[in-house]
Amino acid sequence: PGPVVHTGFPDSYKNFPTIELSASSTSMSSFPAMQSYHSAKSSSSSAPALGRILPIVDTVEWIEQLVSTPGIEDVQLRFKDTTNYDVILDRIKRSSALCQSAGVRLWINDYWKAAIEAGGCFGIHLGQEDLASCVDAGGLDLIRDAGLAFGVSTHSYSELCAALGVR
């Protein structure tokens, strides 16, 4: 085969490099650990497992319907129809109250500041662009300090490398 051999494409995240997004972070703590639904079946870890299905919805009314649906353990609130902070905060507070009363974990997409202020949310999910602006605003430390779980969208191997760099 010669000095360079292609042995296959990497099959584990451990084989990808990471890109350090914020070398200036002051936090030494990490985000709460999570497991996939399937890996939790054979794991002895006490880390919470994501539910088998994670509905992503855009209204409080959908949250209200889903929290009473058997088998729903997590739900993500993702809306793009307003930039009014008071409206955003109100939706998150109402969704949080519904989820807490039903024992469902609430993930908030993008609006990390409002999720921290509202309280009662389980986690934050950011896309790559929102991740960059969150890092620039010192948001990762604030999210960590609030004890929230953290998820990042990845649509390519380079985005996976960036996400793996979030500690």
Side-chain angles (χ1 to χ4, degrees):
V4 178
V5 175
H6 179 68
T7 59
F9 199 78
D11 61 358
S12 169
Y13 72 91
K14 295 173 185 171
N15 296 321
F16 287 96
T18 59
I19 300 169
E20 182 67 37
L21 292 177
S22 179
S24 64
S25 175
T26 60
S27 177
M28 296 305 290
S29 62
S30 59
F31 294 102
M34 295 288 302
Q35 302 182 77
S36 72
Y37 173 82
H38 294 289
S39 67
K41 291 181 191 180
S42 61
S43 172
S44 61
S45 172
S46 62
L50 283 170
R52 179 174 245 168
I53 181 172
L54 175 62
I56 302 172
V57 298
D58 61 354
T59 65
V60 177
E61 292 74 24
W62 267 112
I63 298 281
E64 188 171 21
Q65 289 180 26
L66 288 167
V67 297
S68 61
T69 302
I72 300 295
E73 299 174 43
D74 297 272
V75 66
Q76 184 179 139
L77 181 62
R78 179 187 190 272
F79 55 89
K80 303 286 186 181
D81 65 335
T82 185
T83 57
N84 182 310
Y85 188 80
D86 292 332
V87 171
I88 292 166
L89 185 60
D90 177 65
R91 289 179 185 177
I92 292 173
K93 284 181 176 179
R94 290 175 26 220
S95 296
S96 177
L98 290 165
C99 286
Q100 284 185 319
S101 69
V104 172
R105 295 178 293 230
L106 176 63
W107 292 81
I108 299 299
N109 192 79
D110 296 342
Y111 302 111
W112 58 271
K113 290 178 188 175
I116 292 169
E117 183 177 339
C121 300
F122 179 79
I124 304 293
H125 182 273
L126 297 177
Q128 293 282 320
E129 289 178 12
D130 293 307
L131 173 61
S133 63
C134 179
V135 168
D136 290 345
L140 293 181
D141 287 337
L142 297 173
I143 294 167
R144 266 190 223 96
D145 292 346
L148 297 172
F150 189 71
V152 180
S153 295
T154 57
H155 302 100
S156 67
Y157 293 113
S158 63
E159 288 182 356
L160 174 63
C161 293
L164 289 171
V166 176
R167 302 270 184 248

